[in-house]
Amino acid sequence: MSAARDALDARSREVGRVLRRMLVVSLVLVGGKTAAGLASGSLAVLGGAFDSALDVMTTVVAILLARVAGKEPDEDHPYGHEKFEALGALAMVAFLSITVYELVRTAIGRIGGPPDAPVDTWLGVAVMGGSLVLGIGASEYERRRGKALESELLLADAAHLRADVFVTLAVLAGLLLTKLGWRDGDAWTALLVAVLIIRTGVHIIRETVPVLVDEAAVDSNEIRRMAEAMDGVDAAYDVRSRGRAGARFAELTIAVKGGLDVETAHEIADLVEDEVCRRLGARQVVVHVEPRSAAPPRLLDPPRTEPAS
């Protein structure tokens, strides 16, 4: 258990380090876009700065949630605090929805509206181009670390940063289209980006909701087969599992030969726990022991009969 605890602590620290790096990136993006927006007079660039400011807010929330998620199990949270990561991922979806709302509202307002004041489009293009390169690199780095650490929080934050990349692309395309004379080009592009951001939010929800509602993490038949392959186990049933990859929990009941002493029965249970835990990469596996007579008859092999002489 100490090894598992050390692994959890190391993972929590690494998640925190990645998030702090992303916070620095977001602050750089906010500063650059704000300065460029004010200098160029581009509302689109200032809108991009607002979206990056949301990235700062979400990353700060993520850092706080990562600290909570890394805490050891306690009396109030006997299974640990990992679900706070999933809650944080859903918070990212809420922030994404704000980005979508602002993007759609601004785009609809500009379509067919009065012409905007002239802006220094080349300054905006230069800054947004640099922001695009930085955003793509940072989001890909965070996505890879999220995959490696199996962290919903990092993956959700990376998705939000990719959404910011889409917004930057929209602003960049809008500036270029404006320069070419298509006044409503940026607005239509922004609406397309809003659809892409909604798609990202739906993906996050599909990944996190099963964890929050304790959807079975592993097929119960797979766990049952693992247990029944062990010596001394006549049947396995009442199988349950929950949690995400890297923090799974499983519980099952095994039937053993009647008449075994308590020590032998528990030795079998310990072996099953260790094997299932190893093969699932689970945090904890709990095995209950019952005599063969208590198992559902349908799960037991038919009694062997001696051939007639």
Side-chain angles (χ1 to χ4, degrees):
M1 293 299 291
S2 61
R5 182 65 245 172
D6 291 342
L8 178 61
D9 290 341
R11 174 185 177 277
S12 179
R13 288 193 297 270
E14 181 59 21
V15 169
R17 276 194 292 269
V18 173
L19 287 172
R20 287 191 291 274
R21 291 166 189 160
M22 293 303 101
L23 179 59
V24 172
V25 171
S26 295
L27 288 171
V28 170
L29 291 174
V30 169
K33 291 177 183 179
T34 301
L38 293 174
S40 66
S42 171
L43 291 176
V45 176
L46 283 175
F50 170 76
D51 184 69
S52 293
L54 284 177
D55 287 338
V56 173
M57 293 172 59
T58 58
T59 304
V60 169
V61 170
I63 289 172
L64 296 175
L65 287 169
R67 290 180 179 177
V68 175
K71 289 182 178 180
E72 295 186 18
D74 53 33
E75 290 186 3
D76 294 328
H77 305 89
Y79 288 100
H81 300 74
E82 284 83 5
K83 280 190 179 182
F84 282 96
E85 280 204 19
L87 286 172
L90 289 182
M92 302 302 173
V93 175
F95 286 117
L96 282 174
S97 67
I98 296 174
T99 300
V100 169
Y101 170 77
E102 288 298 325
L103 209 55
V104 171
R105 183 182 65 82
T106 303
I108 292 176
R110 287 184 180 180
I111 293 175
D116 295 328
V119 298
D120 184 352
T121 53
W122 289 123
L123 174 60
V125 167
V127 171
M128 298 308 289
S131 299
L132 180 64
V133 173
L134 181 58
I136 290 174
S139 64
E140 180 61 15
Y141 163 76
E142 189 174 21
R143 184 190 69 82
R144 290 185 178 183
R145 295 306 296 149
K147 286 282 188 182
L149 296 168
E150 297 178 331
S151 168
E152 293 98 343
L153 203 54
L154 288 182
L155 291 173
D157 194 53
H160 192 266
L161 198 53
R162 283 198 302 276
D164 182 67
V165 168
F166 293 145
V167 172
T168 301
L169 275 172
V171 174
L172 197 55
L175 289 170
L176 292 173
L177 289 171
T178 300
K179 191 70 175 179
L180 293 174
W182 187 23
R183 187 172 62 85
D184 291 340
D186 61 334
W188 286 107
T189 304
L191 290 176
L192 174 61
V193 169
V195 173
L196 295 175
I197 294 175
I198 291 173
R199 181 174 176 271
T200 298
V202 171
H203 175 73
I204 293 174
I205 291 173
R206 285 179 176 174
E207 290 292 321
T208 55
V209 168
V211 176
L212 291 172
V213 299
D214 287 336
E215 183 177 294
V218 183
D219 182 4
S220 61
N221 289 323
E222 180 181 351
I223 297 176
R224 181 175 59 80
R225 285 191 293 269
M226 290 180 192
E228 291 179 347
M230 302 288 293
D231 290 337
V233 178
D234 288 344
Y237 52 99
D238 289 345
V239 179
R240 301 180 181 88
S241 64
R242 58 174 288 272
R244 58 168 177 77
R248 289 172 176 158
F249 296 86
E251 182 179 354
L252 66 150
T253 300
I254 61 172
V256 299
K257 182 180 179 181
L260 288 181
D261 59 85
V262 174
E263 184 175 351
T264 301
H266 276 278
E267 285 178 357
I268 295 173
D270 289 341
L271 290 173
V272 173
E273 287 179 357
D274 292 342
E275 178 66 9
V276 174
C277 191
R278 181 186 65 81
R279 293 180 62 179
L280 292 183
R283 180 73 54 75
Q284 184 181 36
V285 175
V286 178
V287 175
H288 306 282
V289 183
E290 295 285 351
R292 178 186 171 94
S293 59
R298 60 185 176 79
L299 298 178
L300 298 172
D301 294 329
R304 295 180 181 177
T305 58
E306 296 295 332
S309 56

